[in-house]
Amino acid sequence: MSLPPLAPRHRRASAQPSTRLTLLLALACRAAAAWTGARAAQVSLMPEAARTGLSGLAETLEHPRGAVDLAEARRLRADGRFDPPSGEDPRAGMTLSAFWLVVELRNDGALEAAWRLDIGRPFLRRLEMTLDRAGATASLLSESRDRPFRDRPDGARMLRSAPLTLASGEAVTLWIGYATDGPAGLNLSLQPEEKEADRRVADALGLAAFYAAGGLLLALLMGVFAALRRPAIGWYALFFAGLLAYNAQLEGLMFQLVWPFAPRWNAAASHVIGMLALAAGLMFARDMADAPRARSGARDRGASDA
């Protein structure tokens, strides 16, 4: 004999244990995800490596408010709001968002060693680098667009942290908070402190060779302009000079050598230099477009005079 169908209230009562089990499983999965997200990505450091890239290896938070301090970043990470390491840089577009990166570093070498974190930028709107080590917190670097170049502790053209010394097998957690007026992605890398002097010499020699060649070419263009008095050549010389100045601004040389006491101006200088170079380029293009018509008009005048 078949049993009669359950009444609606009986069906609901029978479904309650399954519903409770589903809810418990969901809560357990959420707690596990939050616990997993609270663990930093770990990067192995070897003293003999010339460079250890960190881009794409850190947990990332993008906050649209644009102002998140370390305490709030810790809270948001505990809530599972950080994205896991993606293997890629943060988005490279322009944004007013604030970013926080967190990564665990471990010295897997046999001896104590020191590294510097290279940001790959000469300046940022805001930058904070903080280290968690054995329950203590220490600041490695704090920068803003209001800080003159002369106040940088090491006088480096590119933003770099203070030396980070790790004993063999020691693990620490690094927090990096930043906001930028340019592309959001950073080319982060850790470089051995013992090779810092050689790296600076190689960097200085490369820049010297580049600008020496650019200066010679610019002098040649100005000489040709002085000899021929062609406006198009003069405009091209100004365009080329603007490109050299724009590159020097992006490399941090203008902030270091030309206006080290004007950080606010430095934050906007690349836009001004770029627009001036573009204007000179447009004038050069206009003169080059008018050149065929000018030559044709000169030939017509010569023919009529004959």
Side-chain angles (χ1 to χ4, degrees):
M1 183 177 65
S2 61
L3 295 174
L6 293 174
R9 65 174 180 273
H10 293 153
R11 285 200 297 267
R12 287 196 297 268
S14 300
Q16 284 180 357
S18 176
T19 303
R20 289 174 183 154
L21 180 60
T22 302
L23 290 175
L24 287 174
L25 288 175
L27 290 174
C29 291
R30 182 173 180 180
W35 179 81
T36 304
R39 299 176 60 193
Q42 188 173 90
V43 176
S44 173
L45 300 178
M46 298 299 293
E48 58 270 18
R51 178 182 183 275
T52 303
L54 295 182
S55 296
L57 300 181
E59 298 174 31
T60 306
L61 169 72
E62 179 182 0
H63 203 283
R65 273 175 36 196
V68 178
D69 60 14
L70 179 58
E72 186 173 0
R74 292 183 192 275
R75 181 184 63 79
L76 292 172
R77 183 165 177 258
D79 291 342
R81 298 281 298 277
F82 275 65
D83 294 328
S86 63
E88 301 176 354
D89 293 340
R91 72 179 195 184
M94 305 284 284
T95 178
L96 296 178
S97 299
F99 288 85
W100 276 96
L101 311 177
V102 58
V103 61
E104 185 175 313
L105 308 174
R106 179 183 175 86
N107 178 10
D108 285 331
L111 301 174
E112 179 181 88
W115 290 265
R116 282 181 185 264
L117 179 61
D118 191 342
I119 300 299
R121 295 278 189 89
F123 41 81
L124 290 169
R125 182 167 15 124
R126 181 180 61 82
L127 173 64
E128 298 177 32
M129 292 167 47
T130 305
L131 191 70
D132 288 346
R133 166 186 274 159
T137 299
S139 175
L140 291 179
L141 181 64
S142 180
E143 285 284 339
S144 74
R145 63 181 174 186
D146 296 321
R147 187 175 190 179
F149 184 87
R150 61 183 177 85
D151 291 344
R152 289 191 178 180
D154 60 353
R157 178 175 56 86
M158 290 292 186
L159 291 172
R160 289 175 179 164
S161 72
L164 167 61
T165 303
L166 298 180
S168 176
E170 182 180 9
V172 295
T173 302
L174 178 65
W175 294 80
I176 304 170
Y178 70 94
T180 175
D181 294 315
L186 297 182
N187 186 22
L188 299 172
S189 64
L190 280 163
Q191 301 171 352
E193 172 66 12
E194 63 181 11
K195 300 179 181 178
E196 176 70 11
D198 295 340
R199 191 163 47 248
R200 290 200 182 196
V201 170
D203 181 65
L205 289 176
L207 287 174
F210 174 81
Y211 286 105
L216 287 175
L217 183 55
L218 180 60
L220 176 62
L221 288 171
M222 295 302 294
V224 173
F225 170 70
L228 301 181
R229 299 292 179 178
R230 294 281 300 276
I233 299 176
W235 287 121
Y236 185 77
L238 289 176
F239 171 69
F240 187 75
L243 290 182
L244 289 177
Y246 184 76
N247 189 76
Q249 171 64 14
L250 295 183
E251 291 282 352
L253 290 171
M254 304 295 273
F255 192 30
Q256 182 183 27
L257 303 175
V258 181
W259 42 70
F261 302 102
R264 279 282 182 171
W265 156 250
N266 181 71
S270 60
H271 306 294
V272 178
I273 296 172
M275 286 188 289
L276 291 176
L278 178 61
L282 291 174
M283 295 300 293
F284 165 73
R286 187 202 65 174
D287 282 0
M288 291 299 292
D290 289 342
R293 288 195 295 269
R295 287 195 297 268
S296 177
R299 285 196 300 267
D300 293 342
R301 287 192 300 272
S304 62
D305 291 341

